[in-house]
Amino acid sequence: MDRLGEKMVKMDYEVTVYTGDLAFASTCDNIFITLVGTDGERERHKLHKLGPFFHKGDVSTFHVSCSKAIGQLLLIHLVKQSHFWKIKHSWYPAKVVVRSPIGDIFNFPIYHWITDSNVHSFREGKALLASDETNSLAQYERKKELQTRKQVYW
């Protein structure tokens, strides 16, 4: 029970991270994930492994617990923090698949090099037209992604 006398509900999500099968796709850096849903987000969670390595071609499964429901999953944030402060590693996650406590599956295609310690946001891989996007956070992330792509390709 929390301090207001409400029963705490533990929501367990299964997070599967696929590291790309490319040269130098591995990292020994610490990887953190934040699950963001329609009703809030879970605080940043470190993806613990036996040894900190995400090897090329690895498939790693983790359990992420939330103390409250976050609703329909919209996006994830990934952060890569250097394990050894002097050595810089890149990491190439191919995708992340999240299974909700009720069995819904959310796919996050990434296929993107992560070279820094910034927060990288990825939307769920549903094929939606911009006009079909109803959540304001999802709309904002879509606009931000389009702006980034324009900078890269223009």
Side-chain angles (χ1 to χ4, degrees), residues 33-88:
I33 190 168
T34 303
L35 304 177
V36 181
T38 54
D39 297 334
E41 66 184 57
R42 194 238 186 252
E43 62 278 0
R44 188 169 85 162
H45 178 83
K46 183 177 179 182
L47 300 178
H48 291 282
K49 292 186 68 145
L50 291 175
F53 298 101
F54 285 81
H55 292 286
K56 163 184 140 163
D58 267 1
V59 177
S60 308
T61 300
F62 307 91
H63 292 279
V64 176
S65 294
C66 298
S67 58
K68 64 177 185 164
I70 60 173
Q72 189 77 6
L73 200 55
L74 296 173
L75 56 109
I76 59 171
H77 301 306
L78 291 177
V79 175
K80 180 184 75 61
Q81 285 186 344
S82 182
H83 190 69
F84 303 105
W85 64 277
K86 288 267 188 189
I87 302 170
K88 305 251 188 232

Side-chain angles (χ1 to χ4, degrees), residues 99-144:
R99 180 185 301 268
S100 77
I102 60 172
D104 292 336
I105 297 190
F106 302 91
N107 291 291
F108 296 90
I110 298 174
Y111 303 101
H112 178 83
W113 285 100
I114 296 178
T115 59
D116 54 30
S117 60
N118 295 335
V119 175
H120 296 268
S121 299
F122 300 96
R123 292 183 306 115
E124 212 244 325
K126 286 184 184 169
L128 291 176
L129 297 172
S131 59
D132 293 337
E133 198 76 73
T134 57
N135 183 279
S136 59
L137 178 60
Q139 290 171 343
Y140 170 76
E141 287 296 329
R142 180 187 282 263
K143 286 180 186 174
K144 202 164 80 171

